[in-house]
Amino acid sequence: MAKFIAIEGLEGAGKSTAIQIIKTYLTDKVADVVYTREPGGTFLAEKIRRILITPYKEEALCAEAELLLMYASRMQHVNTLIKPALLQGKWVVSDRFNWSSLSYQGGGRDLPFEQVKQLNDLLLGEFTPDLTIYLDIPPEIGLKRARQRNTLDRIEQEELSFFERARDIFLSLTKNTSTAFLIDASQPLDKVKKDIEGVLGNCFHK
Ligand SMILES: Nc1ncnc2c1ncn2[C@@H]1O[C@H](COP(=O)(O)OP(=O)(O)O)[C@@H](O)[C@H]1O
Ligand SMILES: [Mg+2]
């Protein structure tokens, strides 16, 4: 059965690093895997990404527009890339998915969480990842890592409390979802790698 795997976590948690670990792990186990990301993942969704991450000095993006653009990008991604790939029997591994919106827009931005959840459910319905790997990191450690990697984008420039609120939502979503696994991303990389491989191993021993 094709699987849809989402990697979630704050800035600098190690999502991109995790994707590389997953790529290596799956290479001789699964024939067709599509690696993708959000916001973005398709031609038009990547155009929307640009609006979302660019700190335009001309005008601030309001929270509601940010939320709707996130879901515009997501639905384009789901309908034109993720679902067709799964239907063709391919696996899909996405760097971020809907939990990032529940956490960043519903938590970080302080939009009413229940309304963000309703929008999510209206658009995605029953469509959820088969497996979610949540890389948990204190925001100050994640942001320090992200800062070393490159200059911070529009959302990465938010204050610490934004990411603390987002982390709280990530943690509660993980706690309440049987298909989600928390990995302590503050550990040394070789330990994080072992933990990711342990979680992926579950996909093959069921
Ligand atoms: N467990 C780890 N310990 C120390 N540094 C890490 C760890 N995981 C990732 N990094 C480094 O932190 C930075 C951010 O990692 P990255 O995978 O780009 O995070 P994300 O994609 O979640 O923003 C990179 O420079 C990466 O090499
Ligand atoms: Mg990344």
Side-chain angles (χ1 to χ4, degrees):
M1 242 274 277
K3 293 235 183 257
F4 174 30
I5 302 173
I7 314 302
E8 298 276 13
L10 297 179
E11 319 304 323
K15 297 177 297 300
S16 301
T17 309
I19 301 267
Q20 294 312 315
I21 293 167
I22 294 170
K23 229 179 223 176
T24 307
Y25 183 87
L26 290 181
T27 185
D28 55 357
K29 295 185 182 64
V30 182
D32 273 326
V33 189
V34 178
Y35 295 91
T36 187
R37 69 167 180 187
E38 288 207 350
T42 76
F43 176 78
L44 285 177
E46 289 285 332
K47 301 261 177 217
I48 301 171
R49 177 190 178 92
R50 186 85 346 246
I51 300 177
L52 282 162
I53 70 171
T54 307
Y56 293 108
K57 58 182 182 318
E58 292 81 356
E59 185 176 330
L61 184 64
C62 69
E64 292 82 359
E66 178 180 285
L67 172 70
L68 293 171
L69 286 173
M70 286 289 178
Y71 275 92
S73 148
R74 177 159 306 121
M75 296 323 292
Q76 193 66 22
H77 188 214
V78 166
N79 289 322
T80 66
L81 188 144
I82 301 179
K83 281 187 176 173
L86 293 171
L87 282 172
Q88 289 168 21
K90 295 174 183 167
W91 284 37
V92 177
V93 179
S94 185
D95 186 331
R96 294 192 183 278
F97 192 59
N98 66 326
W99 282 18
S100 285
S101 293
L102 295 173
S103 300
Y104 278 57
Q105 281 72 50
R109 288 278 176 243
D110 259 343
L111 288 168
F113 180 81
E114 276 315 313
Q115 289 177 22
V116 177
K117 181 74 172 60
Q118 277 174 16
L119 177 73
N120 177 85
D121 295 353
L122 176 74
L123 292 168
L124 290 176
E126 301 288 292
F127 186 75
T128 50
D130 301 297
L131 171 68
T132 300
I133 296 178
Y134 166 57
L135 299 164
D136 184 53
I137 192 104
E140 56 274 25
I141 300 180
L143 287 171
K144 202 194 262 172
R145 286 183 189 170
R147 215 170 278 127
Q148 281 164 0
R149 181 188 54 195
N150 52 26
T151 56
L152 301 183
D153 71 28
R154 190 183 65 87
I155 294 175
E156 288 168 344
Q157 289 172 12
E158 282 302 325
E159 59 198 26
L160 213 55
S161 60
F162 173 100
F163 297 104
E164 275 157 3
R165 289 192 296 276
R167 186 188 188 195
D168 286 345
I169 305 269
F170 273 133
L171 286 170
S172 88
L173 290 168
T174 307
K175 211 169 112 201
N176 294 308
T177 309
S178 61
T179 52
F181 293 85
L182 181 147
I183 287 175
D184 177 358
S186 65
Q187 303 176 105
L189 198 51
D190 58 340
K191 184 69 178 60
V192 171
K193 179 168 179 281
K194 278 208 182 73
D195 287 356
I196 292 172
E197 290 170 351
V199 169
L200 290 175
N202 293 332
C203 297
F204 300 97
H205 304 118
K206 270 198 291 208

